[in-house]
Amino acid sequence: MNRKTRNALELTGIYGSILIMFIVIIYPLLWTFGLSLNPGSSLFGASMIPENWSFKHYVWLFTDPESDYLIWYKNTLIVAFATSLGSTVFVSLVAYAFSRYSFFGRKYGIYAFLLLQMFPVLMAMVAIYILLNLVGLLDSLLGLILIYVGGSIPMNAFLVKGYFDTIPRELDESARMDGAGHFRVLFTIMLPLAKPILAVVALFNFMAPFMDFILPRIILRSPENYTLALGLYNFVNAQFANNFTRFAAGSILIAVPIALVFLMLQRYLISGLTSGATKG
């Protein structure tokens, strides 16, 4: 086999793999969008390209008095923004301490962060429920936010620490010679240079409340406190007559805020994803 033929086969394999991945990703999205335009409510008999398509399900979500969709959307946005901001702040502080300071237990603390990621979140659900009940934060958005922020620290702190380690310490020393304190070094030197990895942390923690169902299902009880994932589940519950088309319409709209935040941060994401955890 000559070199030209080998290159052609390699290109064919690459483009074939990309095409397969594109189909795997886009096919469910097209089906969900098509399902949301079907005028009926059942999954059976619906088609990806409906003949008599309608936006009635989208209209119902925003205008019907029985719909709590806007309340769920508001709750999810509150949790998402608070989690994203809180996680970025606390992760930055923890990562800065582990990257720049020498203290007793520093090495084992880093190992503990990695060890904590080995255990599934489900193992802590009972403890989380009891803890929130003791402090009076069960069935509240604040309790949910605190759990999300706390759970995001170990792995994200390890990633941000790796990025901080790539920033020359000479910059810190120069700033301290000019009279800068620890917090000034962090906020004027480290954080501006670490925008790519911080953008990754902010985006991933913003997305989490939109996708998570299990934790809100355990913590939240009142319908007025539901997040989108928990509220939309009711549309495919037997109590609500298995309204899959309404569920599809609500699911499609979840992508709007995530896409907007992604577009705002996209110039930082590539370098941030490829630069984290480069040093221990």
Side-chain angles (χ1 to χ4, degrees):
M1 183 183 299
N2 57 42
R3 184 175 180 180
K4 185 177 181 180
T5 303
R6 186 168 61 251
N7 290 340
L9 290 176
E10 290 177 355
L11 286 175
T12 302
I14 292 172
Y15 285 117
S17 300
I18 294 175
L19 179 61
I20 292 173
M21 288 189 292
F22 178 78
I23 293 174
V24 170
I25 294 172
I26 201 66
Y27 183 75
L29 296 179
L30 292 177
W31 247 110
T32 304
F33 182 67
L35 188 64
S36 70
L37 299 179
N38 279 267
S41 61
S42 176
L43 182 63
F44 303 99
S47 59
M48 187 167 63
I49 305 177
E51 295 181 1
N52 301 316
W53 59 272
S54 171
F55 288 103
K56 58 180 282 188
H57 301 302
Y58 293 95
V59 174
W60 184 91
L61 290 174
F62 289 99
T63 61
D64 196 285
E66 297 182 1
S67 172
D68 292 326
Y69 187 76
L70 288 177
I71 297 176
W72 302 336
Y73 217 112
K74 180 195 71 174
N75 293 340
T76 308
L77 287 174
I78 292 173
V79 174
F81 278 110
T83 300
S84 180
L85 178 61
S87 297
T88 304
V89 171
F90 284 105
V91 164
S92 300
L93 294 173
V94 173
Y96 180 65
F98 275 98
S99 176
R100 288 302 193 257
Y101 300 147
S102 296
F103 52 88
F104 178 77
R106 174 179 177 272
K107 180 179 179 180
Y108 295 104
I110 296 174
Y111 291 153
F113 281 170
L114 294 177
L115 185 63
L116 288 173
Q117 302 307 307
M118 298 172 58
F119 299 97
V121 180
L122 286 175
M123 293 181 60
M125 288 300 177
V126 175
I128 289 173
Y129 183 90
I130 295 174
L131 177 62
L132 291 179
N133 189 39
L134 288 175
V135 297
L137 292 178
L138 200 63
D139 192 23
S140 71
L141 297 182
L142 178 58
L144 188 62
I145 292 169
L146 292 177
I147 297 302
Y148 279 138
V149 172
S152 70
I153 291 177
M155 188 59 189
N156 289 321
F158 180 78
L159 292 176
V160 177
K161 176 200 172 293
Y163 198 98
F164 281 171
D165 288 344
T166 65
I167 299 176
R169 290 179 178 268
E170 289 78 8
L171 297 176
D172 304 25
E173 296 170 359
S174 299
R176 290 196 176 93
M177 290 178 63
D178 293 334
H182 297 295
F183 282 102
R184 187 173 179 183
V185 171
L186 173 63
F187 288 106
T188 61
I189 296 177
M190 303 294 288
L191 296 187
L193 293 176
K195 284 181 181 178
I197 193 65
L198 295 180
V200 173
V201 172
L203 177 62
F204 285 176
N205 285 283
F206 180 83
M207 292 170 55
F210 287 93
M211 311 298 181
D212 187 30
F213 169 79
I214 297 178
L215 189 59
R217 184 72 179 87
I218 294 174
I219 294 177
L220 304 178
R221 291 290 179 268
S222 305
E224 62 270 16
N225 290 332
Y226 283 179
T227 58
L228 280 172
L230 186 55
L232 288 176
Y233 171 74
N234 291 330
F235 292 159
V236 292
N237 196 337
Q239 181 182 356
F240 287 81
N242 293 328
N243 202 321
F244 285 93
T245 50
R246 193 173 291 167
F247 173 87
S251 301
I252 288 293
L253 294 175
I254 291 178
V256 175
I258 296 177
L260 291 176
V261 173
F262 179 86
L263 291 175
M264 291 171 56
L265 302 177
Q266 58 88 21
R267 62 175 176 160
Y268 301 113
L269 293 178
I270 300 300
S271 57
L273 287 169
T274 56
S275 300
T278 56
K279 294 184 180 180

